[in-house]
Amino acid sequence: MGKLQGLNKGSNIDSSLLEHFQREIWSKVPHLEEKPGEVKVVNATPLIDITEDLKACARNEYGLDLADKDLRVFGKFDSNLLAGSIKVRPAVQILHDAIATGKLRRGQMIFEATSGNFGIALGQIARLGLDVVVLVSRKLQEGVFEELRNEKTRIMNLDMDICPAPGMKVNTNLLAAKAIASNIRSQLSEFGFDPIIFDKSRSEVEGFLASQDIINLAKFLAKIYGGFCPEQYDNELNIEVHRTVTARELDQQLYEQGHSLDDFRIVCTFGTGGTSGGLSRYCMEKFGKKAVHVVFPLGDQDVAGIRTKGKAMGLKFYEPERYAGQHEVDFGQAKRLLKFFVDKGHDIGESSALALYAVLQMANFGGGGKFVVIIADGIQKYRKSLVTTKEREHRLQVTLQEAVSNIANYNRVLWIHTMYTPREEGIKLIANSLGCDESKISVPKASDVEQLLATQEIPKELDKALGGADGKSLLVCMMGNTSFQVAQVLAGKGIAAESLTGGISALSQEKGKQISELVRIATE
């Protein structure tokens, strides 16, 4: 206590918050602690030998015989962490540093762009009395939204992709940016923020939205409202916590089990690049070699906030020169592994299944090897995606070619969006692109779509437009995100619906049309 008092004397540090944070959060997560004659990681997450289960999975799910392979695989189960994911490590480190240096005090709002897990981690921390606003995309799975809602967070929904890197040039129509900016203004007002401050900086906000730069938008909102942004995509502490704690923890645990980290390849997926960056640095510094293999989903796949290789390239912490290997893996195949391991009682999520499937491939083609796989989070938020084999075969998204080929199988085509409604030209474009009559296309109220997504209950007029559980609907929106989210909600209620990938934006590009010619802001 005396040390804290000395630290805070004459400073801007919120000593009460710091003490509370250290007692309720810091003491419960992995961190370095000085012991007599040594520095050791305490509160380590489990390191479990999963070799036999991976061999059984290879045999039962993929027909691969790894029995004779010289294979050893450990899973590092960070799903056991507070908030259920590895993201709590950098979240705790960044906020602890911010409080300890006076950058963050009670009464300030925390703003951050997140694909899910970092926001959930912030929600746990918010229970200390800190207010958190997370900028998220409706493209997130419903289970992720549910966990965010369960925490003390304020969710700002953006109907666009969180994943593009800062400053990435994307051909997004300015009309969409203006509409989303209006939505943000409304949500900020509901949260109690002064909309006049927003109005003064609206052109900058629209600029970030036009380039889909949600990462820097979060930083900007924190700046104009006097808040704090953890900046997980750029904050060096994201790297440092994995170099100084996570990697040392692995080294320590393997040594205690009679192994050396020097003999193992480390496999992880790529979210912000913090995990791969910190582990890579540690192995290079201690062993003088590259040891980390980074795994990405295929370019057209969306996996639990994990970036594709193309979307990782624009990020500060994407450092391919430090990696021992990069692997692009089909998540469609990894889903079978996910279900197998969950059925075996392992708490693994989608990204972990992707990493494990990469190990299975490396072991099969490389004759075995020793691996540590980072199990970044658990199954809870993805449990709804674990369905029977028959259900797994049912797709909620279809390409234009698939929709055209099966247009007779859809009882109706519905425009689905919370902010836009199609003009007459938009209706014609959708009908002509699908090869159906305009009379087959219905346009429910935007407010009904918003209500469905907010409450998970279907308004009466929207239910009538859908035709209840009778038949199947094709859903079309601006870019395919909102319609996909609606299709997921409907699937949970036994209503068959599929989302057109890319939405009317993809159709407009194919026909050389401007979005402003096809849609307008909804008024009801």
Side-chain angles (χ1 to χ4, degrees):
M1 185 67 71
K3 184 177 180 181
L4 280 176
Q5 290 174 343
L7 176 68
N8 297 319
K9 185 177 181 180
S11 74
N12 193 41
I13 296 170
D14 187 336
S15 59
S16 173
L17 177 59
L18 182 58
E19 291 174 21
H20 194 189
F21 186 91
Q22 290 178 331
R23 182 175 65 252
E24 299 297 328
I25 302 293
W26 185 264
S27 66
K28 298 176 182 178
V29 299
H31 63 273
L32 295 176
E33 193 170 282
E34 292 188 19
K35 303 278 187 180
E38 66 174 343
V39 178
K40 192 172 184 179
V41 178
V42 297
N43 300 327
T45 57
L47 183 70
I48 300 173
D49 190 332
I50 55 175
T51 308
E52 293 308 313
D53 281 342
L54 187 64
K55 287 182 176 181
C57 178
R59 180 177 62 252
N60 297 340
E61 294 294 328
Y62 305 101
L64 299 175
D65 186 5
L66 301 181
D68 296 330
K69 303 283 186 181
D70 183 15
L71 179 66
R72 195 69 176 269
V73 183
F74 285 93
K76 179 62 171 164
F77 281 81
D78 269 17
S79 53
N80 281 47
L81 281 167
L82 181 73
S85 90
I86 196 170
K87 288 293 186 180
V88 80
R89 292 178 184 259
V92 167
Q93 185 71 36
I94 290 168
L95 292 196
H96 183 267
D97 177 78
I99 298 168
T101 56
K103 297 174 186 174
L104 177 61
R105 301 172 60 86
R106 282 195 178 93
Q108 285 182 283
M109 186 68 68
I110 300 172
F111 291 86
E112 183 67 317
T114 175
S115 296
N117 280 335
F118 197 89
I120 293 169
L122 289 177
Q124 285 279 343
I125 294 165
R127 293 179 179 183
L128 299 182
L130 296 169
D131 292 314
V132 177
V133 173
V134 292
L135 280 64
V136 302
S137 165
R138 287 197 192 280
K139 200 171 183 180
L140 293 183
Q141 293 169 305
E142 181 53 33
V144 178
F145 271 114
E146 285 179 0
E147 291 213 14
L148 283 169
R149 293 186 192 109
N150 288 338
E151 305 300 342
K152 189 184 176 183
T153 55
R154 301 179 185 186
I155 305 171
M156 185 175 292
N157 287 320
L158 306 173
D159 189 23
M160 60 167 50
D161 194 356
I162 287 290
C163 282
M168 179 183 287
K169 294 180 180 179
V170 179
N171 184 23
T172 300
N173 192 279
L174 188 58
L175 172 64
K178 288 181 178 296
I180 295 171
S182 295
N183 188 26
I184 291 174
R185 184 186 190 277
S186 175
Q187 291 184 72
L188 285 171
S189 296
E190 290 177 7
F191 294 160
F193 291 95
D194 184 353
I196 295 176
I197 295 175
F198 180 87
D199 292 339
K200 291 178 180 178
S201 304
R202 185 167 183 131
S203 60
E204 290 95 331
V205 170
E206 290 177 359
F208 290 126
L209 292 170
S211 60
Q212 294 194 10
D213 192 352
I214 311 307
I215 294 169
N216 278 318
L217 174 59
K219 298 179 189 178
F220 185 73
L221 291 176
K223 178 182 177 181
I224 64 175
Y225 283 108
F228 174 76
C229 182
E231 302 184 24
Q232 59 169 319
Y233 295 91
D234 300 299
N235 196 319
E236 291 291 339
L237 291 175
N238 190 355
I239 292 270
E240 279 300 288
V241 70
H242 294 297
R243 183 184 71 86
T244 59
V245 180
T246 311
R248 191 165 185 166
E249 187 178 325
L250 275 175
D251 204 352
Q252 176 181 301
Q253 289 177 304
L254 284 169
Y255 178 78
E256 290 169 351
Q257 296 190 39
H259 303 284
S260 171
L261 179 58
D262 190 20
D263 299 327
F264 284 77
R265 285 179 275 180
I266 304 173
V267 182
C268 63
T269 50
F270 191 102
T272 62
T275 305
S276 56
L279 296 176
S280 294
R281 283 167 170 77
Y282 182 90
C283 291
M284 183 57 70
E285 290 166 6
K286 183 166 183 179
F287 306 118
K289 69 177 187 181
K290 300 176 182 179
V292 176
H293 290 253
V294 181
V295 181
F296 306 92
L298 299 181
D300 61 346
Q301 294 179 338
D302 179 51
V303 183
I306 298 304
R307 289 176 179 267
T308 62
K309 189 175 180 181
K311 289 179 178 177
M313 287 181 179
L315 289 180
K316 176 180 178 180
F317 297 146
Y318 175 65
E319 303 172 318
E321 68 280 1
R322 295 182 184 272
Y323 309 149
Q326 299 183 75
H327 310 265
E328 293 182 277
V329 174
D330 182 2
F331 182 61
Q333 293 294 320
K335 284 181 180 179
R336 294 155 63 187
L337 181 148
L338 175 62
K339 186 174 188 305
F340 181 91
F341 269 78
V342 170
D343 288 346
K344 284 283 188 180
H346 296 294
D347 189 20
I348 75 168
E350 292 186 352
S351 66
S352 308
L354 202 69
L356 277 169
Y357 185 67
V359 169
L360 188 152
Q361 291 183 316
M362 283 189 276
N364 183 48
F365 294 109
K370 294 182 178 181
F371 302 88
V372 172
V373 182
I374 303 299
I375 308 299
D377 66 357
I379 189 57
Q380 185 57 38
K381 65 182 76 68
Y382 315 112
R383 194 169 292 280
K384 287 184 179 179
S385 68
L386 282 181
V387 290
T388 63
T389 301
K390 181 178 179 180
E391 291 172 319
R392 287 203 304 272
E393 292 173 353
H394 175 69
R395 297 178 59 191
L396 295 181
Q397 290 178 299
V398 291
T399 64
L400 176 60
Q401 183 178 357
E402 291 169 329
V404 171
S405 299
N406 296 283
I407 192 63
N409 296 330
Y410 299 108
N411 298 72
R412 60 200 71 82
V413 178
L414 270 69
W415 171 265
I416 292 290
H417 210 275
T418 60
M419 289 186 288
Y420 308 112
T421 192
R423 299 179 187 272
E424 184 177 344
E425 283 300 311
I427 296 288
K428 288 181 179 179
L429 176 63
I430 294 171
N432 291 337
S433 299
L434 293 173
C436 69
D437 193 85
E438 291 178 31
S439 63
K440 193 170 185 174
I441 302 173
S442 300
V443 184
K445 293 179 182 178
S447 57
D448 283 347
V449 179
E450 178 68 36
Q451 184 179 341
L452 169 68
L453 291 172
T455 67
Q456 308 295 294
E457 297 299 329
I458 306 175
K460 288 184 179 179
E461 288 189 31
L462 180 55
D463 189 47
K464 183 178 179 181
L466 286 163
D470 180 35
K472 180 166 67 172
S473 300
L474 178 65
L475 310 180
V476 183
C477 71
M478 280 286 286
M479 292 181 282
N481 298 341
T482 301
S483 55
F484 177 60
Q485 186 72 18
V486 169
Q488 288 179 307
V489 175
L490 297 178
K493 297 179 179 297
I495 299 174
E498 294 175 340
S499 166
L500 182 65
T501 301
I504 197 172
S505 295
L507 303 182
S508 68
Q509 291 173 13
E510 186 172 315
K511 300 296 183 181
K513 298 282 187 178
Q514 293 295 317
I515 286 292
S516 57
E517 301 175 52
L518 306 174
V519 302
R520 60 178 174 81
I521 297 175
T523 57
E524 59 177 10

PDB file of all heavy atoms in Angstrom, residues 465-479:
ATOM      1  N   ALA A 465     -44.422 -10.945 -44.054  1.00  0.00           N
ATOM      2  CA  ALA A 465     -43.632 -10.860 -45.282  1.00  0.00           C
ATOM      3  C   ALA A 465     -42.793 -12.114 -45.506  1.00  0.00           C
ATOM      4  O   ALA A 465     -42.595 -12.560 -46.637  1.00  0.00           O
ATOM      5  CB  ALA A 465     -42.734  -9.629 -45.245  1.00  0.00           C
ATOM      6  N   LEU A 466     -42.305 -12.688 -44.403  1.00  0.00           N
ATOM      7  CA  LEU A 466     -41.497 -13.908 -44.486  1.00  0.00           C
ATOM      8  C   LEU A 466     -42.335 -15.142 -44.786  1.00  0.00           C
ATOM      9  O   LEU A 466     -41.815 -16.156 -45.244  1.00  0.00           O
ATOM     10  CB  LEU A 466     -40.741 -14.121 -43.169  1.00  0.00           C
ATOM     11  CG  LEU A 466     -39.551 -13.201 -42.893  1.00  0.00           C
ATOM     12  CD1 LEU A 466     -39.177 -13.247 -41.423  1.00  0.00           C
ATOM     13  CD2 LEU A 466     -38.371 -13.592 -43.769  1.00  0.00           C
ATOM     14  N   GLY A 467     -43.617 -15.053 -44.492  1.00  0.00           N
ATOM     15  CA  GLY A 467     -44.480 -16.213 -44.697  1.00  0.00           C
ATOM     16  C   GLY A 467     -44.359 -17.240 -43.606  1.00  0.00           C
ATOM     17  O   GLY A 467     -44.673 -18.420 -43.802  1.00  0.00           O
ATOM     18  N   GLY A 468     -43.878 -16.797 -42.417  1.00  0.00           N
ATOM     19  CA  GLY A 468     -43.718 -17.725 -41.299  1.00  0.00           C
ATOM     20  C   GLY A 468     -42.721 -18.815 -41.625  1.00  0.00           C
ATOM     21  O   GLY A 468     -41.694 -18.570 -42.259  1.00  0.00           O
ATOM     22  N   ALA A 469     -43.043 -20.031 -41.227  1.00  0.00           N
ATOM     23  CA  ALA A 469     -42.139 -21.163 -41.459  1.00  0.00           C
ATOM     24  C   ALA A 469     -42.387 -21.821 -42.807  1.00  0.00           C
ATOM     25  O   ALA A 469     -41.795 -22.850 -43.120  1.00  0.00           O
ATOM     26  CB  ALA A 469     -42.291 -22.188 -40.339  1.00  0.00           C
ATOM     27  N   ASP A 470     -43.258 -21.211 -43.617  1.00  0.00           N
ATOM     28  CA  ASP A 470     -43.635 -21.816 -44.893  1.00  0.00           C
ATOM     29  C   ASP A 470     -42.666 -21.379 -45.992  1.00  0.00           C
ATOM     30  O   ASP A 470     -42.510 -20.190 -46.255  1.00  0.00           O
ATOM     31  CB  ASP A 470     -45.071 -21.393 -45.247  1.00  0.00           C
ATOM     32  CG  ASP A 470     -45.521 -21.989 -46.573  1.00  0.00           C
ATOM     33  OD1 ASP A 470     -45.124 -23.131 -46.864  1.00  0.00           O
ATOM     34  OD2 ASP A 470     -46.244 -21.298 -47.314  1.00  0.00           O
ATOM     35  N   GLY A 471     -42.030 -22.325 -46.659  1.00  0.00           N
ATOM     36  CA  GLY A 471     -41.155 -22.010 -47.775  1.00  0.00           C
ATOM     37  C   GLY A 471     -39.811 -21.445 -47.368  1.00  0.00           C
ATOM     38  O   GLY A 471     -39.385 -21.539 -46.218  1.00  0.00           O
ATOM     39  N   LYS A 472     -39.148 -20.821 -48.354  1.00  0.00           N
ATOM     40  CA  LYS A 472     -37.809 -20.295 -48.116  1.00  0.00           C
ATOM     41  C   LYS A 472     -37.676 -18.917 -48.760  1.00  0.00           C
ATOM     42  O   LYS A 472     -38.176 -18.670 -49.852  1.00  0.00           O
ATOM     43  CB  LYS A 472     -36.753 -21.249 -48.689  1.00  0.00           C
ATOM     44  CG  LYS A 472     -35.314 -20.782 -48.478  1.00  0.00           C
ATOM     45  CD  LYS A 472     -34.313 -21.895 -48.754  1.00  0.00           C
ATOM     46  CE  LYS A 472     -34.270 -22.288 -50.208  1.00  0.00           C
ATOM     47  NZ  LYS A 472     -33.173 -23.239 -50.489  1.00  0.00           N
ATOM     48  N   SER A 473     -36.954 -18.014 -48.053  1.00  0.00           N
ATOM     49  CA  SER A 473     -36.770 -16.654 -48.538  1.00  0.00           C
ATOM     50  C   SER A 473     -35.317 -16.406 -48.924  1.00  0.00           C
ATOM     51  O   SER A 473     -34.401 -16.965 -48.316  1.00  0.00           O
ATOM     52  CB  SER A 473     -37.167 -15.636 -47.456  1.00  0.00           C
ATOM     53  OG  SER A 473     -38.516 -15.795 -47.077  1.00  0.00           O
ATOM     54  N   LEU A 474     -35.113 -15.544 -49.917  1.00  0.00           N
ATOM     55  CA  LEU A 474     -33.792 -15.040 -50.255  1.00  0.00           C
ATOM     56  C   LEU A 474     -33.727 -13.610 -49.741  1.00  0.00           C
ATOM     57  O   LEU A 474     -34.586 -12.786 -50.064  1.00  0.00           O
ATOM     58  CB  LEU A 474     -33.556 -15.067 -51.763  1.00  0.00           C
ATOM     59  CG  LEU A 474     -32.204 -14.507 -52.237  1.00  0.00           C
ATOM     60  CD1 LEU A 474     -31.060 -15.376 -51.734  1.00  0.00           C
ATOM     61  CD2 LEU A 474     -32.159 -14.384 -53.758  1.00  0.00           C
ATOM     62  N   LEU A 475     -32.717 -13.305 -48.929  1.00  0.00           N
ATOM     63  CA  LEU A 475     -32.587 -11.997 -48.307  1.00  0.00           C
ATOM     64  C   LEU A 475     -31.481 -11.199 -48.992  1.00  0.00           C
ATOM     65  O   LEU A 475     -30.384 -11.709 -49.207  1.00  0.00           O
ATOM     66  CB  LEU A 475     -32.264 -12.142 -46.818  1.00  0.00           C
ATOM     67  CG  LEU A 475     -33.156 -13.095 -46.003  1.00  0.00           C
ATOM     68  CD1 LEU A 475     -32.698 -13.128 -44.549  1.00  0.00           C
ATOM     69  CD2 LEU A 475     -34.616 -12.684 -46.106  1.00  0.00           C
ATOM     70  N   VAL A 476     -31.776  -9.933 -49.286  1.00  0.00           N
ATOM     71  CA  VAL A 476     -30.809  -9.063 -49.959  1.00  0.00           C
ATOM     72  C   VAL A 476     -30.671  -7.772 -49.161  1.00  0.00           C
ATOM     73  O   VAL A 476     -31.682  -7.174 -48.769  1.00  0.00           O
ATOM     74  CB  VAL A 476     -31.261  -8.718 -51.398  1.00  0.00           C
ATOM     75  CG1 VAL A 476     -30.191  -7.880 -52.101  1.00  0.00           C
ATOM     76  CG2 VAL A 476     -31.557  -9.980 -52.190  1.00  0.00           C
ATOM     77  N   CYS A 477     -29.432  -7.345 -48.889  1.00  0.00           N
ATOM     78  CA  CYS A 477     -29.218  -6.067 -48.197  1.00  0.00           C
ATOM     79  C   CYS A 477     -28.146  -5.271 -48.938  1.00  0.00           C
ATOM     80  O   CYS A 477     -27.901  -5.502 -50.120  1.00  0.00           O
ATOM     81  CB  CYS A 477     -28.854  -6.286 -46.731  1.00  0.00           C
ATOM     82  SG  CYS A 477     -27.204  -6.969 -46.471  1.00  0.00           S
ATOM     83  N   MET A 478     -27.503  -4.328 -48.244  1.00  0.00           N
ATOM     84  CA  MET A 478     -26.509  -3.485 -48.897  1.00  0.00           C
ATOM     85  C   MET A 478     -25.255  -4.253 -49.304  1.00  0.00           C
ATOM     86  O   MET A 478     -24.839  -4.227 -50.453  1.00  0.00           O
ATOM     87  CB  MET A 478     -26.108  -2.331 -47.962  1.00  0.00           C
ATOM     88  CG  MET A 478     -27.094  -1.196 -47.961  1.00  0.00           C
ATOM     89  SD  MET A 478     -27.029  -0.202 -49.466  1.00  0.00           S
ATOM     90  CE  MET A 478     -25.510   0.709 -49.194  1.00  0.00           C
ATOM     91  N   MET A 479     -24.652  -4.955 -48.325  1.00  0.00           N
ATOM     92  CA  MET A 479     -23.380  -5.631 -48.596  1.00  0.00           C
ATOM     93  C   MET A 479     -23.376  -7.099 -48.166  1.00  0.00           C
ATOM     94  O   MET A 479     -22.343  -7.750 -48.195  1.00  0.00           O
ATOM     95  CB  MET A 479     -22.235  -4.878 -47.916  1.00  0.00           C
ATOM     96  CG  MET A 479     -21.969  -3.510 -48.514  1.00  0.00           C
ATOM     97  SD  MET A 479     -20.579  -2.621 -47.732  1.00  0.00           S
ATOM     98  CE  MET A 479     -21.362  -2.024 -46.244  1.00  0.00           C
TER      99      MET A 479
END
